[in-house]
Amino acid sequence: MAQGLIEVERKFVPGPGTEERLRELGGTLEHRVTFRDTYYDTPELSLMQADHWLRRREDSGWELKCPGAAGVLGHHTEYKELTAEPTIVAQLCKVLGADGLGAGDVAAVLGPLGLQEVASFVTKRSAWKLVLLGTDEEEPQLRVDLDTADFGYAVGEVEALVHEEAEVPTALEKIHRLSSMLGVPAQETAPAKLMVYLQHFRPQDYQRLLEVNSSKQRPQGTKDPDNCLG
């Protein structure tokens, strides 16, 4: 993934006919893959409380998701994805208020920043791509990932990647259209795998995130922890 792309996504609950519907809409199955994600944070969950999500995916390296300009808007989320390790380290130091660690490898700063493993699970994914009818064939395709985690939770995600904030409204419109075509109810929300993991296995941390979010009393359109990534 190119550095600095903006990810706009919506999560939904997949059904037994979701893959067949994707085929009917002209979707192409790219691959089926199994991978392990491990998330890192401080004992106080300082990153998650700041809506930053540090993950290492097996055989894929590090990624830090940071809130985009809109954050969570309705049932959709917008994040910037950082994958270059020096950029990740710089952002981690900024969020955690640490200076003087340089811009080296992420693994080298875990200890100094007090970051530790807070979640780790295996996901089986089927990854799809498609272009909606009536849109420019040269436009980036929408992605649909259908995931099942090893703790029994299944979730789908419709995703578009854009380069500029100005492209986000068009991406949202496409996500709305495809979600409707897949039979996703307009008001349906589906929590991210990470949040379900925390709810099941680290309920005190999960509750802490809910309490921090509610205590901020932010305006409509700000983040809902259940609708964050995973």
Side-chain angles (χ1 to χ4, degrees), residues 8-25:
V8 187
E9 65 182 43
R10 179 184 184 184
K11 291 180 171 59
F12 66 95
V13 179
T18 299
E19 289 199 348
E20 181 58 32
R21 181 60 177 150
L22 283 167
R23 290 190 183 95
E24 292 173 356
L25 293 171

Side-chain angles (χ1 to χ4, degrees), residues 5 12 30 46 79 82 130 149 218:
L5 284 177
F12 66 95
E30 281 197 299
S46 300
Y79 282 99
L82 306 181
L130 75 162
R218 304 173 94 176

Side-chain angles (χ1 to χ4, degrees), residues 4 41 60 67 70 79 95 136 154 207:
D41 209 330
S60 296
Y79 282 99
V95 174
D136 190 337
Q207 190 62 33

Side-chain angles (χ1 to χ4, degrees), residues 46-47 50 52 64 66-67 80 82 86-102 109 113:
S46 300
L47 292 178
H52 284 63
L64 179 65
C66 312
K80 292 183 179 180
L82 306 181
T87 306
I88 292 174
V89 170
Q91 184 66 16
L92 290 174
C93 291
K94 179 180 178 181
V95 174
L96 297 174
D99 296 318
L101 292 181
V109 302
L113 291 176

Side-chain angles (χ1 to χ4, degrees), residues 19-47:
E19 289 199 348
E20 181 58 32
R21 181 60 177 150
L22 283 167
R23 290 190 183 95
E24 292 173 356
L25 293 171
T28 301
L29 176 63
E30 281 197 299
H31 55 258
R32 299 186 190 275
V33 63
T34 300
F35 54 85
R36 175 176 291 277
D37 283 332
T38 303
Y39 288 86
Y40 293 82
D41 209 330
T42 67
E44 302 78 24
L45 304 183
S46 300
L47 292 178

Side-chain angles (χ1 to χ4, degrees), residues 51-85:
D51 201 16
H52 284 63
W53 310 82
L54 178 63
R55 178 188 75 197
R56 188 181 188 282
R57 177 161 293 173
E58 188 177 38
D59 298 326
S60 296
W62 293 93
E63 177 184 89
L64 179 65
K65 290 194 178 185
C66 312
V72 173
L73 186 61
H75 304 301
H76 300 81
T77 61
E78 178 189 333
Y79 282 99
K80 292 183 179 180
E81 300 186 334
L82 306 181
T83 55
E85 293 199 35

